Amino acid sequence: MDLSREWIVREAKSAPEDNAFRETIFAQANGYMGMRGTLDEGAPPGAPSEPYFVVQGVFDEQPGRYETDDLVNLPDPLPVELCIGDARLGSKELRVVSSGRRLEMRDGILTRELELEMRDGGRCRLSFERFVSMADRHLIVWRMRLSVSERCGTGSKLPVAPVSEAPVECRLAWGFDANRTNLGTVHFEETGRGVWGQAGLYHVIRTLQSGVTVAQAQVARAYIDGEPAEPEATELVEEGSLLRSQWTTRVASGQKLVIERVNAVCTSRDLDPDGDPLDRAQRKCAEAAAMGFDALAEATRAVWSEKWAAADVEIEGDHLAQKGMRYCLFQLMQACPEHDDRVAIGAKALSGPGYRGHFFWDTEMFMEPFFAHTDPRAARNFAVYRHRTLPESRERAESMGCGGARFPWEGTLTGREQCPTWIELPDGGEERIVTGDQEDHISADVAYGAWHYYTTSGDEEFWLRYGLELMVETARFWQSRVERDEEANRFVIRRVMGPDENQKMVDNNAYTNYMAAWNLRIAAEEVSKWQKHLDGRKQLSALGVTTKERAAWERTAAEMYLPQEPSGLIAQQDGFIETAHKPNVGEPLKQADVLMLFRLFPDRFPEEVQQANWDFYEPLTAHGSSLSPSVHACVAARLGRMEQALEYFRTSVAMDLADVNGNTANGLHAASLGGAWLAAVQGFGGFWLDETGGVVLRPQLPPAWRRLRYRVQVRGGNLHCTITDSELIVSYDHPADHPLKATVFGERTTLTPGACHRFVRG
């Protein structure tokens, strides 16, 4: 059976108006840098296009009233100008007979193939290949292949020139285009450009506010029929923002011209600064060029093979779901800065300018679980990144009159809030943005992310060094943020916004209250636990945690108002249930809010409570956020609502491939990518950790699926699960042969390393 179609994203047809959408879909990255899937020669005339080349962490402040940081759109190393004979690629003089692109998700290589007709009736075959290396994160590798067929002078749909069997002259201009901005804002100045070595170009910029140096070095090599070939002529072209080397060579009928390019990128903020950025870029470029495209591709392919072995989710019986699932995982893995604990994954990954590259709760609540169970180092880094932002987060809490740390709703390299307070509207007016002021739940979300990594990994060194402090400081924030309702004898939280951003400035948002209570309770429990250990006592002493403070957290958690009606309904906020179904009152829910609690804490709420709230909230939800379908898919699968679960899952995995929300042109929906994994593995796959950290397995498949396979890491071991409609097969391995306790279909059991365990659905 040919399963390659489930690993390849193909461009079925090419409509100019969809160009920006396709640039997002074919985006490539490696966690260090990312680029959109722009056409090599540039967009067709009039087609929307957003060239975007970024290095993660290279931010610069946007000046003016709407002051926030931008992930800087850097000089573009990709564009070329190719002329075959006297016709330029992209012009009407070269008729496109056929064309297509394909993204191979097994190795991240993007290939574009064209058959072109020249004016004299002759045809040529042209292909472009490129990838962002996973083996050396500083490299972009590109290859062009051109072959010219014999020309007959007939059958052409172009005005026919006299037939000639002379070799065809080909001119290729390659290099850098520095005409790049962030939605019109210029963020860098050029500090150097020119020629290096025998056939290389370099380009250096410095960001205007943050002062980061970014150096790029590029070199090309030509081959004819597999043998090295020197261009017949070379010319350095400097026109405004363009720096290009123009090569001219001739290709006879039956010959194949191959040109390979390597581009190396280094910055002054790299973690391995060995020499200045330009020196490093030139060294890396020269070494990589000597290896050649095929060897470099094999190296990146080997890294991808390891990643897929750890992360693949196999779905049998649903081709579209399988391809969509793999696309989500592919984009998550290539966006992950697993090498760097100073950053996270932005809301648009590294695929487009939307949200300016900022980090949201998306990281902890939708992406961290995937990495915690497939690439724990990455999940650890996300929490360490948040720990680095504690100083500014403490300042933010203080400015609110609170203690502890209030993390930013939109973050970059620091804890300074990046969510704009005002935005300019198309008509010139302004709109007040309150999400950064009101979505206080972000602090509990950060605590949850750190806690989830800790319970999944058992990494006590991390917890004592970073995680415990995050838990303490967020608990301090909530302790000072709550208010005492003396009449009702409970603690409440007023003037907030929950995940449903259509409801502003509400009191007692259920998600916020539950998460705050959870945060306070876990913090108190961890303080009690670590007071019994010498290293823990030292850390708690350094943090100034007292017995009185711990007791206050316990009391507040116990007396927090956690709204729930006798019917089991949980009010999203004060007064919501009474008005939700009244005509012309309020707005539909933008996304899952109460239901988000069930995804996070399935053991905390009885099934009948979850069912009642599903029946109430699901019809009210408009899914205006890409985060919503995956949450609904996960909860529905656990509740046995297979038809609805599958519908929501298919929406989630197609969020970008099918442009569900109509805005994929601005960049991928990174939270939805992670949410798709959660729906597949924690929903249909029935895997999660209960509140004690214990493994739960309770899978249930849609009737259309024949089999589901996945692998997850838990505390140093690997859990392999294969699910059919009748049984669950589990194998478990651990380097130290530690057994794993689990609850499978409601029954407690122990999974023995090296053994194959079969469980029949009851």
Side-chain angles (χ1 to χ4, degrees):
M1 180 179 179
D2 179 15
L3 297 179
S4 62
R5 64 178 185 160
E6 297 176 346
W7 287 99
I8 297 174
V9 177
R10 296 183 186 275
E11 184 177 63
K13 57 183 179 179
S14 180
E17 61 270 20
D18 294 333
N19 187 67
F21 160 71
R22 293 194 304 274
E23 289 179 351
T24 295
I25 293 301
F26 291 119
Q28 295 168 285
N30 61 10
Y32 174 81
M33 59 183 166
M35 60 188 185
R36 282 166 68 80
T38 49
L39 296 176
D40 302 83
E41 74 279 12
S49 179
E50 191 69 52
Y52 189 68
F53 173 57
V54 293
V55 172
Q56 183 60 281
V58 179
F59 285 94
D60 197 58
E61 186 176 289
Q62 180 192 29
R65 178 168 184 183
Y66 309 108
E67 183 179 295
T68 60
D69 291 348
D70 280 328
L71 188 61
V72 178
N73 192 7
L74 297 167
D76 195 339
L78 289 176
V80 298
E81 182 175 274
L82 174 65
C83 293
I84 303 173
D86 60 355
R88 179 177 54 82
L89 179 62
S91 71
K92 294 180 180 179
E93 283 72 31
L94 271 179
R95 187 173 75 89
V96 178
V97 179
S98 64
S99 68
R101 277 192 288 181
R102 65 179 184 273
L103 176 63
E104 170 58 79
M105 293 185 284
R106 279 172 289 203
D107 56 22
I109 297 178
L110 177 63
T111 301
R112 179 182 175 212
E113 296 177 328
L114 304 98
E115 184 177 2
L116 305 170
E117 184 181 70
M118 297 176 284
R119 287 184 59 197
D120 64 3
R123 293 193 176 188
C124 60
R125 293 187 179 277
L126 176 66
S127 71
F128 297 102
E129 299 165 274
R130 70 191 194 214
F131 63 90
V132 183
S133 176
M134 293 295 256
D136 185 333
R137 293 180 181 273
H138 297 273
L139 299 179
I140 300 171
V141 187
W142 179 96
R143 178 165 66 186
M144 181 193 84
R145 292 192 271 199
L146 173 68
S147 60
V148 179
S149 62
E150 293 184 5
R151 285 157 285 161
C152 61
T154 61
S156 174
K157 294 186 179 181
L158 297 170
V160 177
V163 177
S164 169
E165 291 306 321
V168 175
E169 181 180 88
C170 298
R171 297 189 308 278
L172 178 72
W174 53 272
F176 302 100
D177 185 353
N179 184 25
R180 295 292 180 262
T181 68
N182 286 76
L183 304 177
T185 300
V186 177
H187 278 296
F188 59 80
E189 60 181 353
E190 186 178 86
T191 59
R193 69 178 183 178
V195 179
W196 69 281
Q198 292 184 334
L201 298 177
Y202 72 87
H203 197 281
V204 186
I205 63 96
R206 184 177 182 273
T207 57
L208 296 178
Q209 307 298 326
S210 56
V212 178
T213 295
V214 180
Q216 299 188 65
Q218 190 169 152
V219 69
R221 294 187 176 188
Y223 304 85
I224 293 181
D225 291 340
E227 297 297 323
E230 291 295 325
E232 295 179 15
T234 62
E235 179 183 355
L236 183 65
V237 179
E238 295 188 78
E239 297 175 352
S241 64
L242 292 174
L243 172 67
R244 285 179 170 174
S245 180
Q246 181 171 284
W247 287 11
T248 302
T249 189
R250 294 179 184 275
V251 184
S253 295
Q255 287 187 320
K256 180 177 288 186
L257 169 67
V258 176
I259 296 179
E260 297 182 356
R261 285 194 299 161
V262 174
N263 190 77
V265 185
C266 293
T267 80
S268 58
R269 73 175 301 276
D270 291 346
L271 292 166
D272 52 353
D274 179 17
D276 70 49
L278 181 57
D279 286 344
R280 286 185 284 124
Q282 289 174 341
R283 286 202 307 271
K284 283 183 172 292
C285 189
E287 292 168 0
M291 293 176 64
F293 184 97
D294 289 332
L296 294 169
E298 190 57 38
T300 204
R301 194 172 287 121
V303 176
W304 272 113
S305 179
E306 293 179 1
K307 288 185 173 295
W308 281 114
D312 192 20
V313 174
E314 299 177 60
I315 301 169
E316 291 186 21
D318 193 333
H319 160 62
L320 291 178
Q322 176 67 90
K323 178 183 282 190
M325 182 77 259
R326 285 192 172 128
Y327 183 77
C328 292
L329 302 183
F330 170 77
Q331 290 291 359
L332 273 176
M333 290 188 285
Q334 71 167 4
C336 178
E338 62 185 7
H339 62 289
D340 193 347
D341 63 13
R342 301 168 296 170
V343 291
I345 300 178
K348 297 296 181 182
L350 297 171
S351 67
Y355 292 116
R356 304 182 184 276
H358 296 173
F359 314 132
F360 290 73
W361 74 316
D362 306 23
T363 303
E364 284 82 9
M365 309 311 285
F366 290 87
M367 292 181 267
E368 185 276 343
F370 165 73
F371 291 105
H373 291 295
T374 62
D375 187 0
R377 181 180 65 159
R380 184 183 196 273
N381 283 350
F382 296 153
V384 174
Y385 155 72
R386 291 294 192 181
H387 187 271
R388 289 179 178 274
T389 69
L390 271 172
E392 295 88 354
S393 299
R394 290 189 181 104
E395 291 174 6
R396 174 69 185 281
E398 185 178 0
S399 73
M400 297 170 62
C402 296
R406 203 287 199 171
F407 286 90
W409 179 242
E410 296 186 31
T412 54
L413 298 181
T414 72
R416 186 171 73 88
E417 181 62 71
Q418 296 293 328
C419 182
T421 53
W422 294 90
I423 60 169
E424 187 174 358
L425 300 175
D427 62 4
E430 292 183 318
E431 180 181 346
R432 178 77 166 90
I433 304 299
V434 298
T435 49
D437 298 330
Q438 296 181 20
E439 297 215 42
D440 291 339
H441 65 81
I442 181 64
S443 284
D445 302 332
V446 168
Y448 180 90
W451 173 252
H452 184 266
Y453 165 71
Y454 170 51
T455 55
T456 300
S457 66
D459 186 349
E460 292 189 349
E461 184 274 334
F462 156 82
W463 190 246
L464 286 175
R465 188 175 178 184
Y466 304 108
L468 188 57
E469 185 172 7
L470 287 170
M471 190 63 71
V472 165
E473 292 299 327
T474 49
R476 284 171 170 164
F477 169 74
W478 290 117
Q479 184 63 33
S480 57
R481 179 66 178 83
V482 300
E483 300 174 34
R484 183 70 181 175
D485 182 343
E486 295 295 348
E487 183 176 340
N489 195 32
R490 63 194 182 193
F491 289 98
V492 297
I493 304 176
R494 299 189 173 103
R495 304 175 302 280
V496 297
M497 180 189 296
D500 173 22
E501 294 174 346
N502 286 347
Q503 316 294 324
K504 301 175 177 64
M505 194 64 83
V506 302
D507 294 341
N508 295 311
N509 168 256
Y511 177 85
T512 302
N513 284 26
Y514 272 86
M515 290 297 291
W518 171 87
N519 196 161
L520 289 158
R521 177 173 60 82
I522 295 297
E525 291 175 358
E526 287 298 297
V527 168
S528 296
K529 169 185 171 182
W530 287 103
Q531 282 285 10
K532 302 172 185 177
H533 300 265
L534 178 60
D535 290 340
R537 285 197 298 273
K538 289 180 179 179
Q539 176 68 344
L540 292 170
S541 176
L543 295 174
V545 180
T546 64
T547 302
K548 181 179 179 181
E549 187 175 30
R550 177 187 59 76
W553 296 344
E554 288 179 337
R555 181 194 175 201
T556 303
E559 298 179 11
M560 182 75 75
Y561 174 46
L562 304 178
Q564 185 170 326
E565 302 287 319
S567 65
L569 282 183
I570 297 171
Q572 181 173 300
Q573 68 241 11
D574 286 356
F576 186 85
I577 291 177
E578 293 79 7
T579 61
H581 287 285
K582 291 183 179 180
N584 304 317
V585 176
E587 297 181 81
L589 276 64
K590 180 180 179 182
Q591 65 196 77
D593 197 303
V594 169
L595 298 186
M596 182 72 178
L597 291 169
F598 304 156
R599 202 217 80 192
L600 295 174
F601 308 112
D603 304 299
R604 172 70 174 77
F605 301 92
E607 183 173 331
E608 58 270 21
V609 170
Q610 297 187 44
Q611 294 278 11
N613 282 276
W614 175 274
D615 291 337
F616 183 83
Y617 284 105
E618 190 271 342
L620 296 175
T621 307
H623 307 291
S625 167
S626 64
L627 283 62
S628 191
S630 65
V631 176
H632 281 73
C634 188
V635 174
R638 290 172 178 167
L639 293 177
R641 296 172 177 254
M642 288 297 118
E643 185 175 342
Q644 288 177 295
L646 185 56
E647 180 181 355
Y648 279 120
F649 178 73
R650 286 174 172 165
T651 299
S652 182
V653 297
M655 183 61 63
D656 290 308
L657 286 175
D659 198 11
V660 172
N661 283 4
N663 58 1
T664 296
N666 295 326
L668 296 163
H669 297 83
S672 183
L673 303 175
W677 182 89
L678 287 164
V681 173
Q682 295 193 353
F684 299 119
F687 164 83
W688 66 85
L689 301 183
D690 64 24
E691 290 198 63
T692 68
V695 169
V696 176
L697 288 167
R698 200 182 70 192
Q700 187 171 350
L701 298 189
W705 292 11
R706 294 191 299 271
R707 186 173 284 105
L708 173 67
R709 292 190 185 94
Y710 61 84
R711 168 186 168 182
V712 288
Q713 296 183 40
V714 181
R715 289 185 283 281
N718 294 293
L719 196 65
H720 303 260
C721 297
T722 300
I723 303 152
T724 67
D725 62 350
S726 60
E727 67 177 353
L728 165 66
I729 303 171
V730 181
S731 62
Y732 174 68
D733 61 80
H734 192 285
D737 288 334
H738 292 162
L740 182 68
K741 295 187 181 299
T743 302
V744 183
F745 293 125
E747 300 293 329
R748 295 188 179 276
T749 188
T750 299
L751 303 176
T752 306
C756 181
H757 305 265
R758 290 179 177 269
F759 303 93
V760 178
R761 187 186 308 278

